[in-house]
Amino acid sequence: MLYLVGLGLGDAKDITVKGLEVVRQCRRVYLEAYTSVLTVGKEVLEEFYGKELILADRETVEQEADSILKEADVCDVAFLVVGDPFGATTHSDLVLRAVKLGIPYRVIHNASIMNAVGCCGLQLYNFGETVSIVFWTDAWKPESFFDKIKKNRQNGMHTLCLLDIKVKEQSLENLMKGRKIYEPPRYMSVNQAAEQLLTIIKNRRLQGEEPEITENTICVGLARVGAPDQKIASGTLHQMSTVELGGPLHSMIVTGSMHPLELEMLKLFSVDSCSNSENNAFKRTA
Amino acid sequence: MLYLVGLGLGDAKDITVKGLEVVRQCRRVYLEAYTSVLTVGKEVLEEFYGKELILADRETVEQEADSILKEADVCDVAFLVVGDPFGATTHSDLVLRAVKLGIPYRVIHNASIMNAVGCCGLQLYNFGETVSIVFWTDAWKPESFFDKIKKNRQNGMHTLCLLDIKVKEQSLENLMKGRKIYEPPRYMSVNQAAEQLLTIIKNRRLQGEEPEITENTICVGLARVGAPDQKIASGTLHQMSTVELGGPLHSMIVTGSMHPLELEMLKLFSVDSCSNSENNAFKRTA
């Protein structure tokens, strides 16, 4: 049996009781390590589970799926995923390969950023399409996510923006020389995401467009959702470019139309809440 | 401290290790019992947790929130919710009330139907607005959810349809006579939801509209997601009106545009897969 087990979002204890039992009974346990991170490392998980974990990076999963599935028809193999196995990244490839090999599989679900963002008080059923915001490079500055956010907002929907993660990336030089030397991991912050959005807004204005989303649009920055030190900050897009949220992972929401109850919840997390500023973002929208 | 603890979707062991520790340390533990159900009852949960649970129906939470929060500033109180506390139904009211009373709160997340539907292979970031399909009565047959599904589909997005739950409802007669006699709980099946959609399509055609969604639109029926006996069936909307999925809870997805990998996953669950019917829904769309 192949078990796909969600680990949730915080630390070792966010696994479900059922998931923990499965991990402890499996012959081999893989930890998917390229689409998300917990606030604790592999060693902490190994100690808590009482099991050795095999790190599975993107290459392993894509190129060595057969070794992951080896003998899974006669023994139990677990594939652990931060969040839910079918959350922001699906592992359909591995499932389809297992099915083709006649290996049964089972999913042990858990919270993922896709549903845990509800903790800020915005209602999940009011979200439109989720977008990914990627790190811009000198040569590549895609804006397509902006148009998706715009469309959601025109429809009154909120947009969850998943922020880029660069793990085990090679520099162009190392890639071209075939050297397997990897850059340090990079995680996009809410500040960086907001800066990119502000740049797009500026570009659009230069093109004569008055964008649906402006520096005053209410957004929510979320960091380390589900962890004891999670941080949520609501305010304008402009405020998101400077808000301090600490370490990764970050996500951002661009709001659409808001229900009074949603607005009341967001006020709990207002970056303005300490000051009595007349410029308070929520006073302006309320 | 007020803890809002998600129980996940299947049985007692779908609580997280962290959630279980919290439940065991709390002075009072409430079980929210009106927006969803587990495959096991209160007694099974009580035995597994080693704790007595206080059932909180809609009336309790709305009218007696203060008794739920009583002394939560000096002791620990847990409020258990099937799925995630901020999943399909948010418990913002309780949180806002706690904050006003100066009571700190914490959320222990878990899987909810809002993210666990990903197990059918449709990618969560391709879902648009979520809709609720309510039981029609003789006098009240709303169609507004149909227009939301249509809009999502026009944008290429899938739609998760949450199906109605009637728990602790009074008949009109008992309601008018003030008798607190409740009807047996009712849970909408995928068959019933599909029938209502087919009726709307018929109505729209009579009005001269050629609906975006037809009896041949690919849909997914899901039952008891996360439980060992979960069932997923993909096929046309017409097929959804007769597919056998067993007991509650059911959900349904109306698909939008599909990626080849999504289509391949859905084929795993095709209601046609046993037959070699030339009429196979996926042959037609592929």
Side-chain angles (χ1 to χ4, degrees):
Chain A
M1 177 82 87
L2 169 70
Y3 288 97
L4 296 111
V5 182
L7 300 186
L9 295 168
D11 57 36
K13 288 185 176 175
D14 284 304
I15 194 170
T16 64
V17 174
K18 194 178 281 171
L20 184 59
E21 285 181 0
V22 161
V23 168
R24 289 191 171 154
Q25 96 197 11
C26 278
R27 173 103 43 107
R28 294 194 313 281
V29 183
Y30 295 87
L31 174 63
E32 190 265 313
Y34 59 91
T35 56
S36 196
V37 287
L38 287 176
T39 55
V40 295
K42 175 172 168 274
E43 294 69 29
V44 176
L45 295 180
E46 285 180 325
E47 201 188 319
F48 184 69
Y49 302 154
K51 275 277 179 180
E52 198 186 315
L53 301 183
I54 307 161
L55 268 189
D57 54 31
R58 195 184 293 264
E59 286 170 11
T60 316
V61 179
E62 286 175 6
Q63 293 165 21
E64 296 171 44
D66 290 339
S67 81
I68 293 176
L69 295 172
K70 201 179 155 203
E71 294 170 11
D73 50 340
V74 290
C75 72
D76 290 335
V77 173
F79 186 76
L80 311 187
V81 179
V82 174
D84 185 79
F86 290 91
T89 309
T90 72
H91 292 278
S92 304
D93 273 324
L94 195 61
V95 166
L96 286 168
R97 200 179 289 241
V99 171
K100 269 173 203 155
L101 293 170
I103 297 165
Y105 74 96
R106 222 181 126 199
V107 180
I108 314 281
H109 290 288
N110 210 319
S112 70
I113 190 66
M114 303 297 282
N115 72 331
V117 288
C119 65
C120 72
L122 295 174
Q123 299 181 318
L124 290 182
Y125 51 78
N126 291 336
F127 280 73
E129 181 176 3
T130 301
V131 306
S132 294
I133 301 187
V134 295
F135 278 117
W136 279 353
T137 65
D138 289 341
W140 192 59
K141 295 185 167 58
E143 299 193 355
S144 54
F145 57 85
F146 186 82
D147 297 299
K148 290 181 180 174
I149 299 172
K150 203 171 98 177
K151 194 165 195 178
N152 282 339
R153 196 170 153 88
Q154 281 164 345
N155 289 327
M157 300 283 107
H158 313 310
T159 308
L160 170 61
C161 307
L162 302 173
L163 308 188
D164 205 0
I165 294 178
K166 293 280 185 205
V167 180
K168 238 185 153 183
E169 296 282 318
Q170 288 165 281
S171 68
L172 196 59
E173 195 193 336
N174 286 327
L175 189 72
M176 281 166 60
K177 291 188 175 161
R179 293 190 295 218
K180 294 213 165 183
I181 300 170
Y182 302 103
E183 302 298 301
R186 289 192 301 151
Y187 306 97
M188 187 185 284
S189 68
V190 163
N191 298 161
Q192 291 168 311
E195 282 295 351
Q196 290 191 185
L197 282 173
L198 290 169
T199 302
I200 297 173
I201 291 168
K202 216 179 289 174
N203 291 344
R204 298 294 169 102
R205 285 203 179 117
L206 287 174
Q207 293 160 24
E209 186 187 322
E210 188 43 50
E212 181 81 17
I213 304 146
T214 72
E215 44 280 87
N216 292 322
T217 299
I218 300 291
C219 296
V220 186
L222 304 104
R224 301 172 306 285
V225 170
D229 66 339
Q230 81 171 23
K231 260 195 164 172
I232 304 176
S234 61
T236 63
L237 177 59
H238 178 72
Q239 287 172 321
M240 291 299 118
S241 67
T242 53
V243 67
E244 287 284 347
L245 292 172
L249 295 179
H250 289 193
S251 311
M252 192 168 81
I253 300 166
V254 180
T255 62
S257 312
M258 276 191 279
H259 185 275
L261 194 60
E262 293 184 307
L263 206 56
E264 210 178 333
M265 278 293 290
L266 284 198
K267 282 181 193 166
L268 297 182
F269 309 111
S270 169
V271 290
D272 287 331
S273 59
C274 302
S275 67
N276 281 318
S277 162
E278 270 308 302
N279 206 24
N280 187 308
F282 294 99
K283 282 190 190 146
R284 282 204 304 276
T285 45
Chain B
M1 176 83 87
L2 169 69
Y3 288 97
L4 295 110
V5 182
L7 300 185
L9 295 168
D11 58 35
K13 288 185 176 174
D14 284 305
I15 194 171
T16 64
V17 173
K18 194 178 282 172
L20 184 59
E21 287 182 359
V22 162
V23 168
R24 290 190 170 153
Q25 96 196 13
C26 278
R27 173 104 40 109
R28 297 194 311 281
V29 183
Y30 295 88
L31 174 63
E32 190 264 317
Y34 59 90
T35 56
S36 194
V37 287
L38 287 176
T39 56
V40 295
K42 173 172 168 275
E43 295 69 29
V44 176
L45 295 181
E46 286 180 324
E47 200 189 320
F48 184 69
Y49 303 154
K51 274 278 179 180
E52 197 187 315
L53 301 183
I54 307 162
L55 268 190
D57 54 31
R58 196 185 293 262
E59 285 169 11
T60 317
V61 179
E62 286 174 5
Q63 292 165 22
E64 296 170 46
D66 290 339
S67 81
I68 294 176
L69 295 173
K70 201 180 154 202
E71 292 169 11
D73 50 340
V74 291
C75 71
D76 290 334
V77 173
F79 186 76
L80 311 187
V81 179
V82 174
D84 184 77
F86 289 92
T89 309
T90 72
H91 292 279
S92 303
D93 273 325
L94 195 61
V95 166
L96 287 169
R97 201 179 288 241
V99 171
K100 269 173 204 154
L101 293 170
I103 296 165
Y105 75 95
R106 222 182 126 197
V107 180
I108 314 282
H109 290 289
N110 209 320
S112 70
I113 189 66
M114 303 296 283
N115 72 330
V117 289
C119 65
C120 72
L122 295 174
Q123 298 180 319
L124 290 182
Y125 50 79
N126 291 336
F127 280 73
E129 181 175 2
T130 301
V131 307
S132 295
I133 302 188
V134 295
F135 278 117
W136 280 352
T137 65
D138 289 341
W140 194 59
K141 295 185 165 59
E143 298 193 354
S144 54
F145 57 85
F146 186 83
D147 296 299
K148 289 181 180 175
I149 299 172
K150 203 170 96 175
K151 194 164 195 178
N152 281 338
R153 196 170 153 88
Q154 281 164 344
N155 289 327
M157 300 282 108
H158 314 310
T159 308
L160 170 61
C161 306
L162 302 173
L163 308 188
D164 206 359
I165 294 177
K166 293 280 186 207
V167 180
K168 238 186 152 183
E169 296 282 319
Q170 289 166 280
S171 68
L172 197 58
E173 196 192 338
N174 286 328
L175 190 71
M176 282 165 59
K177 291 188 177 161
R179 292 192 295 219
K180 293 213 165 179
I181 300 170
Y182 302 102
E183 302 298 301
R186 290 191 300 152
Y187 306 98
M188 186 184 285
S189 68
V190 163
N191 299 159
Q192 291 169 309
E195 282 297 351
Q196 290 192 185
L197 282 173
L198 290 169
T199 303
I200 297 173
I201 291 168
K202 215 178 288 174
N203 291 345
R204 298 294 170 103
R205 283 201 181 118
L206 287 175
Q207 293 159 24
E209 186 187 322
E210 189 42 51
E212 180 82 17
I213 303 146
T214 73
E215 43 281 86
N216 292 321
T217 298
I218 299 291
C219 296
V220 186
L222 305 103
R224 301 172 304 287
V225 169
D229 66 339
Q230 80 170 25
K231 261 195 163 172
I232 304 176
S234 61
T236 64
L237 177 59
H238 178 72
Q239 287 172 323
M240 292 298 118
S241 67
T242 54
V243 67
E244 288 283 348
L245 292 172
L249 295 179
H250 289 193
S251 311
M252 193 168 81
I253 300 165
V254 180
T255 61
S257 313
M258 275 191 279
H259 184 274
L261 193 60
E262 292 183 307
L263 206 56
E264 210 178 333
M265 279 293 289
L266 283 199
K267 281 180 192 166
L268 297 182
F269 309 111
S270 170
V271 290
D272 287 330
S273 59
C274 304
S275 66
N276 282 319
S277 161
E278 272 307 303
N279 207 22
N280 187 306
F282 293 100
K283 282 191 188 144
R284 283 205 303 274
T285 45

